[in-house]
Amino acid sequence: MIAIANYVWVKPDEVEQKTDSGIITSIDKITPNTGTVIAIGKACDRDIIGDLKEGDRVFFNKDTITRDKHPDTGEDVFRFPDRNILAIIE
């Protein structure tokens, strides 16, 4: 997949919410704010994203994400402008 403009596409990390007693609660309401980069638009500002590359794990602002399906695999993915990347997770 080739991203366009200044969009970053991320495969979100899986979230499992458990209570103290081990009961798994509904994850429908939980939106992860970490994931793995799968595509970076060519217009992304390197002053903003630095050395970000595909395969990097990132922490991002989840308030402005757009949920989508990966066109090849059908997996859930997020897309958002590069300015929403807050950190690269090492």
Side-chain angles (χ1 to χ4, degrees):
M1 179 168 76
I2 299 172
I4 60 169
N6 67 332
Y7 283 94
V8 177
W9 289 71
V10 171
K11 179 180 177 190
D13 289 341
E14 291 187 24
V15 176
E16 187 174 286
Q17 186 71 21
K18 287 186 181 182
T19 64
D20 290 338
S21 60
I23 298 171
I24 298 176
T25 60
S26 173
I27 60 172
D28 292 337
K29 298 177 184 175
I30 300 170
T31 301
N33 60 351
T34 59
T36 303
V37 175
I38 57 173
I40 303 169
K42 295 201 183 290
C44 285
D45 187 341
R46 287 293 167 181
D47 287 337
I48 294 173
I49 63 172
D51 294 330
L52 183 70
K53 60 189 176 303
E54 291 178 16
D56 283 349
R57 284 197 62 236
V58 293
F59 178 73
F60 52 86
N61 179 354
K62 65 182 179 179
D63 294 333
T64 57
I65 62 170
T66 301
R67 293 173 182 265
D68 218 328
K69 295 283 186 187
H70 191 287
D72 297 328
T73 65
E75 293 179 304
D76 289 331
V77 293
F78 295 160
R79 63 182 160 87
F80 45 81
D82 55 6
R83 67 181 179 276
N84 291 332
I85 299 282
L86 303 175
I88 298 172
I89 300 169
E90 296 182 339

